[in-house]
PDB file of all heavy atoms in Angstrom:
ATOM      1  N   SER A1504      -0.979 -16.495  -2.475  1.00 92.00           N
ATOM      2  CA  SER A1504      -0.832 -17.216  -1.220  1.00 92.00           C
ATOM      3  C   SER A1504      -1.154 -16.347  -0.017  1.00 92.00           C
ATOM      4  O   SER A1504      -1.391 -16.867   1.078  1.00 92.00           O
ATOM      5  CB  SER A1504       0.581 -17.770  -1.080  1.00 92.00           C
ATOM      6  OG  SER A1504       1.522 -16.725  -0.914  1.00 92.00           O
ATOM      7  N   GLY A1505      -1.137 -15.042  -0.212  1.00 92.00           N
ATOM      8  CA  GLY A1505      -1.352 -14.132   0.896  1.00 92.00           C
ATOM      9  C   GLY A1505      -0.158 -13.971   1.807  1.00 92.00           C
ATOM     10  O   GLY A1505      -0.288 -13.415   2.903  1.00 92.00           O
ATOM     11  N   LEU A1506       0.992 -14.420   1.360  1.00 95.00           N
ATOM     12  CA  LEU A1506       2.200 -14.349   2.171  1.00 95.00           C
ATOM     13  C   LEU A1506       3.061 -13.181   1.708  1.00 95.00           C
ATOM     14  O   LEU A1506       3.421 -13.094   0.542  1.00 95.00           O
ATOM     15  CB  LEU A1506       2.995 -15.648   2.069  1.00 95.00           C
ATOM     16  CG  LEU A1506       2.287 -16.904   2.572  1.00 95.00           C
ATOM     17  CD1 LEU A1506       3.166 -18.125   2.344  1.00 95.00           C
ATOM     18  CD2 LEU A1506       1.935 -16.764   4.045  1.00 95.00           C
ATOM     19  N   TYR A1507       3.377 -12.310   2.636  1.00 95.00           N
ATOM     20  CA  TYR A1507       4.204 -11.147   2.345  1.00 95.00           C
ATOM     21  C   TYR A1507       5.464 -11.214   3.184  1.00 95.00           C
ATOM     22  O   TYR A1507       5.403 -11.246   4.414  1.00 95.00           O
ATOM     23  CB  TYR A1507       3.418  -9.861   2.592  1.00 95.00           C
ATOM     24  CG  TYR A1507       2.320  -9.674   1.572  1.00 95.00           C
ATOM     25  CD1 TYR A1507       1.054 -10.199   1.775  1.00 95.00           C
ATOM     26  CD2 TYR A1507       2.580  -9.006   0.384  1.00 95.00           C
ATOM     27  CE1 TYR A1507       0.063 -10.058   0.819  1.00 95.00           C
ATOM     28  CE2 TYR A1507       1.592  -8.860  -0.574  1.00 95.00           C
ATOM     29  CZ  TYR A1507       0.336  -9.387  -0.360  1.00 95.00           C
ATOM     30  OH  TYR A1507      -0.645  -9.244  -1.313  1.00 95.00           O
ATOM     31  N   ASP A1508       6.587 -11.239   2.500  1.00 93.00           N
ATOM     32  CA  ASP A1508       7.867 -11.466   3.156  1.00 93.00           C
ATOM     33  C   ASP A1508       8.541 -10.192   3.634  1.00 93.00           C
ATOM     34  O   ASP A1508       9.382 -10.237   4.540  1.00 93.00           O
ATOM     35  CB  ASP A1508       8.825 -12.194   2.208  1.00 93.00           C
ATOM     36  CG  ASP A1508       8.310 -13.555   1.790  1.00 93.00           C
ATOM     37  OD1 ASP A1508       7.769 -14.279   2.649  1.00 93.00           O
ATOM     38  OD2 ASP A1508       8.456 -13.906   0.602  1.00 93.00           O
ATOM     39  N   TYR A1509       8.204  -9.067   3.030  1.00 95.00           N
ATOM     40  CA  TYR A1509       8.871  -7.814   3.337  1.00 95.00           C
ATOM     41  C   TYR A1509       7.836  -6.754   3.666  1.00 95.00           C
ATOM     42  O   TYR A1509       6.812  -6.628   2.996  1.00 95.00           O
ATOM     43  CB  TYR A1509       9.737  -7.352   2.157  1.00 95.00           C
ATOM     44  CG  TYR A1509      10.754  -8.379   1.734  1.00 95.00           C
ATOM     45  CD1 TYR A1509      10.485  -9.259   0.699  1.00 95.00           C
ATOM     46  CD2 TYR A1509      11.981  -8.475   2.389  1.00 95.00           C
ATOM     47  CE1 TYR A1509      11.409 -10.213   0.315  1.00 95.00           C
ATOM     48  CE2 TYR A1509      12.905  -9.433   2.014  1.00 95.00           C
ATOM     49  CZ  TYR A1509      12.614 -10.297   0.971  1.00 95.00           C
ATOM     50  OH  TYR A1509      13.532 -11.244   0.602  1.00 95.00           O
ATOM     51  N   TRP A1510       8.139  -5.988   4.696  1.00 96.00           N
ATOM     52  CA  TRP A1510       7.217  -4.967   5.182  1.00 96.00           C
ATOM     53  C   TRP A1510       7.948  -3.668   5.459  1.00 96.00           C
ATOM     54  O   TRP A1510       9.089  -3.669   5.922  1.00 96.00           O
ATOM     55  CB  TRP A1510       6.536  -5.422   6.471  1.00 96.00           C
ATOM     56  CG  TRP A1510       5.596  -6.566   6.273  1.00 96.00           C
ATOM     57  CD1 TRP A1510       5.908  -7.888   6.195  1.00 96.00           C
ATOM     58  CD2 TRP A1510       4.174  -6.477   6.132  1.00 96.00           C
ATOM     59  NE1 TRP A1510       4.775  -8.638   6.016  1.00 96.00           N
ATOM     60  CE2 TRP A1510       3.694  -7.802   5.974  1.00 96.00           C
ATOM     61  CE3 TRP A1510       3.266  -5.416   6.129  1.00 96.00           C
ATOM     62  CZ2 TRP A1510       2.338  -8.082   5.809  1.00 96.00           C
ATOM     63  CZ3 TRP A1510       1.921  -5.688   5.964  1.00 96.00           C
ATOM     64  CH2 TRP A1510       1.471  -7.014   5.808  1.00 96.00           C
ATOM     65  N   GLY A1511       7.283  -2.574   5.163  1.00 97.00           N
ATOM     66  CA  GLY A1511       7.796  -1.283   5.543  1.00 97.00           C
ATOM     67  C   GLY A1511       7.516  -0.994   7.002  1.00 97.00           C
ATOM     68  O   GLY A1511       6.837  -1.755   7.700  1.00 97.00           O
ATOM     69  N   GLN A1512       8.036   0.123   7.469  1.00 96.00           N
ATOM     70  CA  GLN A1512       7.900   0.488   8.878  1.00 96.00           C
ATOM     71  C   GLN A1512       6.553   1.125   9.197  1.00 96.00           C
ATOM     72  O   GLN A1512       6.189   1.250  10.369  1.00 96.00           O
ATOM     73  CB  GLN A1512       9.032   1.437   9.280  1.00 96.00           C
ATOM     74  CG  GLN A1512       8.846   2.892   8.861  1.00 96.00           C
ATOM     75  CD  GLN A1512       9.034   3.136   7.376  1.00 96.00           C
ATOM     76  OE1 GLN A1512       9.492   2.264   6.627  1.00 96.00           O
ATOM     77  NE2 GLN A1512       8.684   4.336   6.932  1.00 96.00           N
ATOM     78  N   GLY A1513       5.832   1.526   8.183  1.00 97.00           N
ATOM     79  CA  GLY A1513       4.543   2.160   8.364  1.00 97.00           C
ATOM     80  C   GLY A1513       4.638   3.672   8.354  1.00 97.00           C
ATOM     81  O   GLY A1513       5.647   4.251   8.751  1.00 97.00           O
ATOM     82  N   ILE A1514       3.570   4.306   7.892  1.00 98.00           N
ATOM     83  CA  ILE A1514       3.510   5.762   7.865  1.00 98.00           C
ATOM     84  C   ILE A1514       2.104   6.208   8.240  1.00 98.00           C
ATOM     85  O   ILE A1514       1.112   5.599   7.835  1.00 98.00           O
ATOM     86  CB  ILE A1514       3.931   6.312   6.485  1.00 98.00           C
ATOM     87  CG1 ILE A1514       4.092   7.827   6.529  1.00 98.00           C
ATOM     88  CG2 ILE A1514       2.944   5.894   5.392  1.00 98.00           C
ATOM     89  CD1 ILE A1514       4.831   8.383   5.323  1.00 98.00           C
ATOM     90  N   GLN A1515       2.026   7.263   9.028  1.00 98.00           N
ATOM     91  CA  GLN A1515       0.747   7.726   9.547  1.00 98.00           C
ATOM     92  C   GLN A1515      -0.011   8.546   8.517  1.00 98.00           C
ATOM     93  O   GLN A1515       0.545   9.447   7.883  1.00 98.00           O
ATOM     94  CB  GLN A1515       0.962   8.575  10.805  1.00 98.00           C
ATOM     95  CG  GLN A1515      -0.322   9.114  11.423  1.00 98.00           C
ATOM     96  CD  GLN A1515      -1.155   8.031  12.053  1.00 98.00           C
ATOM     97  OE1 GLN A1515      -0.631   7.182  12.776  1.00 98.00           O
ATOM     98  NE2 GLN A1515      -2.458   8.038  11.774  1.00 98.00           N
ATOM     99  N   VAL A1516      -1.281   8.239   8.366  1.00 98.00           N
ATOM    100  CA  VAL A1516      -2.211   9.046   7.594  1.00 98.00           C
ATOM    101  C   VAL A1516      -3.342   9.443   8.531  1.00 98.00           C
ATOM    102  O   VAL A1516      -3.986   8.578   9.123  1.00 98.00           O
ATOM    103  CB  VAL A1516      -2.769   8.292   6.379  1.00 98.00           C
ATOM    104  CG1 VAL A1516      -3.905   9.080   5.723  1.00 98.00           C
ATOM    105  CG2 VAL A1516      -1.663   8.018   5.372  1.00 98.00           C
ATOM    106  N   THR A1517      -3.563  10.731   8.665  1.00 98.00           N
ATOM    107  CA  THR A1517      -4.619  11.235   9.530  1.00 98.00           C
ATOM    108  C   THR A1517      -5.557  12.114   8.718  1.00 98.00           C
ATOM    109  O   THR A1517      -5.112  13.066   8.072  1.00 98.00           O
ATOM    110  CB  THR A1517      -4.047  12.037  10.703  1.00 98.00           C
ATOM    111  OG1 THR A1517      -3.144  11.223  11.455  1.00 98.00           O
ATOM    112  CG2 THR A1517      -5.162  12.523  11.614  1.00 98.00           C
ATOM    113  N   VAL A1518      -6.829  11.788   8.756  1.00 98.00           N
ATOM    114  CA  VAL A1518      -7.839  12.536   8.016  1.00 98.00           C
ATOM    115  C   VAL A1518      -8.759  13.211   9.021  1.00 98.00           C
ATOM    116  O   VAL A1518      -9.425  12.543   9.806  1.00 98.00           O
ATOM    117  CB  VAL A1518      -8.648  11.625   7.085  1.00 98.00           C
ATOM    118  CG1 VAL A1518      -9.626  12.460   6.265  1.00 98.00           C
ATOM    119  CG2 VAL A1518      -7.718  10.837   6.175  1.00 98.00           C
TER     120      VAL A1518
END
Side-chain angles (χ1 to χ4, degrees):
S1504 68
L1506 298 177
Y1507 291 89
D1508 299 319
Y1509 304 95
W1510 292 82
Q1512 79 287 350
I1514 189 166
Q1515 180 70 46
V1516 171
T1517 302
V1518 184

